Amino acid sequence: MATASPSSALRDPGAALSALLRSAPTVTTLAERFGGAGHTLALVGGPVRDAVLGRAGNDWDFTTSAHPDDVEQLLVGWADTTWDVGRDYGTIAARKGDLHVEITTYRDEQYDAGSRKPQVQYGTSLEGDLSRRDFTVNAMAYDLATKTFVDPFGGLADLEARLLRTPVAASQSFDDDPLRMMRAARFVAQLGFTPVQEVVDAMTAMAERITIVSAERVRDELDKTLLGAHPRAGLTLLVDTGIAAYVLPELPALRLERDEHHRHKDVYDHSLTVLEQAIALEERLPGGGPDLTIRLAALLHDIGKPRTRRFLDDGTVTFHHHDAVGAKLTRKRMRALRYSNDVIDDVATLVELHLRFHGYGTGEWTDSAVRRYVRDAGDQLDRLHVLTRADSTTRNRRKAERLQRTYDDLETRIAALAEAEELDRIRPELDGNQIMEILGIGPGKQVGEAYRFLLDLRLDRGPLGEDSAREALLAWWAARDGDA
């Protein structure tokens, strides 16, 4: 999707959008089909906003007076393929060449007090449809029939001022669709916008209303907030308005009261700083980011602290085992938000291991300990490197530099051992079939016990070779029988 520069598009959005549509002549053909059948078609929402901002995009969202059955008929002969992405919500999608379009009937929707799904009613006008959109910056359109820019709620001015405002009263907008409160945080994080006070006040007053929205929809908005350019700002809005207390209560819980001697850090502020520092280090990861897993792990790595905080007699504060407790809390919260098992496992693993490096001291770990560190991290080792480095938020420059040098040393040792021993493929020299043959046993738990013995031996001593592994296995088996 070609776009004009933001400054020129803000001055003359109609010209910018007209130029945009000239770059996609098949869209004009589509508009002619709708017009010939007596229906309107307008480019709307995010694509209009992004075009005016000078942001490139590949998707085209349209709104129309035609109902879904009519839309499907009008797409026949134009689209290469069509599919139903939400007929109940009036949306039909299509693809023509590289062009992906979604066409939605004018609509109005709202939630019943106890419902998790919005009730959709078809609307009758473009302006009516725009009035039910979440924010004014998304309530702009370009009418393809009249070739005019439509902005009844001042979205262009808000876009230029980078303000987040609702087309109708914020309380009405959020009552109609409470998920819009999460979207407010997303747009703050993605676009760096500032919500007007009315929006903040309505979010605060209506925070509990978010509980009627499905966990999947909440999770999707949370992910988009985390993956934005300014996630801290979006998360702060959720916490300050009380919405986070319902969707991610572990985050505001990190706002621990400081003890009178100020002996521990502000855990909430620390966690957001770790998130920002992890983002700055994402270039170390394959693909270079944005990386949802590392951002979730950075945000959640200390959520075990409130449960484990203890004040000692000397006035110091401890958080013993907050890594293990945090991993359990992470799994519980992420399951509630309907994350996939793979993502839950990866994030929980990082939370559980985020303190492991601090046992490294000044390099006293044996090669065996380094192997175990790599084995336990598994395919999350690169992310664990990032999380551990990001977790240093000390203002003591000398201490920070010492921690970074120490971790540099650990990474160097891991690389050297990896080159020598293929650490990423650590396994015993003998597999299950060989174990059964050597010990003369069949499948069962004894094979698993023997395998774990050999794996521990491999981690402790490094590569052994099959002959030495066989001798060690037989000695272990004989001693085991003797104990029995």
Side-chain angles (χ1 to χ4, degrees), residues 43 70 77 89-90 104-105 116 151 173-174 190 197 229 290 328 344 371 393-394 399 413 421 429 438 480 484:
L43 186 67
D70 297 322
Y89 299 96
T104 303
T105 305
R116 288 185 175 271
D151 181 22
S173 180
F174 297 156
Q190 285 182 335
Q197 193 60 45
K328 291 180 181 178
I344 293 173
R371 293 186 193 102
T393 60
T394 178
K399 181 179 179 181
R413 287 186 64 187
E421 302 181 12
E429 279 82 358
I438 292 168
R480 182 179 180 281

Side-chain angles (χ1 to χ4, degrees), residues 152-317:
F153 302 103
L156 187 65
D158 287 343
L159 196 61
E160 188 167 16
R162 307 190 77 77
L163 293 176
L164 210 55
R165 188 191 314 271
T166 52
V168 295
S171 57
Q172 177 186 336
S173 180
F174 297 156
D175 191 56
D176 288 346
D177 185 354
L179 189 67
R180 290 171 178 169
M181 297 187 289
M182 291 289 296
R183 287 197 196 116
R186 188 234 294 188
F187 289 125
V188 167
Q190 285 182 335
L191 302 172
F193 285 7
T194 300
V196 299
Q197 193 60 45
E198 182 194 4
V199 167
V200 175
D201 291 345
M203 291 174 68
T204 304
M206 303 175 67
E208 188 177 6
R209 187 99 167 106
I210 196 66
T211 58
I212 73 166
V213 182
S214 71
E216 291 84 356
R217 297 183 77 205
V218 168
R219 177 205 62 214
D220 289 347
E221 290 298 328
L222 178 61
D223 287 352
K224 291 171 183 176
T225 298
L226 279 171
L227 291 172
H230 316 281
R232 181 174 190 147
L235 293 166
T236 298
L237 179 62
L238 293 177
V239 171
D240 289 348
T241 56
I243 292 172
Y246 297 100
V247 301
L248 191 63
E250 294 79 7
L251 182 58
L254 293 177
R255 282 181 161 171
L256 301 174
E257 304 86 356
R258 286 174 176 265
D259 61 286
E260 59 179 336
H261 301 292
H262 296 264
R263 297 281 181 95
H264 69 80
K265 297 177 181 178
D266 180 332
V267 184
Y268 170 75
D269 184 70
H270 164 77
S271 297
L272 293 179
T273 300
V274 172
L275 170 62
E276 290 180 318
Q277 294 186 167
I279 292 170
L281 293 170
E282 283 179 331
E283 62 187 21
R284 287 172 165 262
L285 299 174
D291 188 281
L292 179 63
T293 298
I294 191 60
R295 295 189 184 198
L296 282 165
L299 182 66
L300 302 175
H301 77 284
D302 273 347
I303 63 171
K305 281 190 170 180
R307 292 275 187 95
T308 59
R309 183 174 60 156
R310 299 291 182 271
F311 293 97
L312 304 184
D313 292 340
D314 63 0
T316 57
V317 182

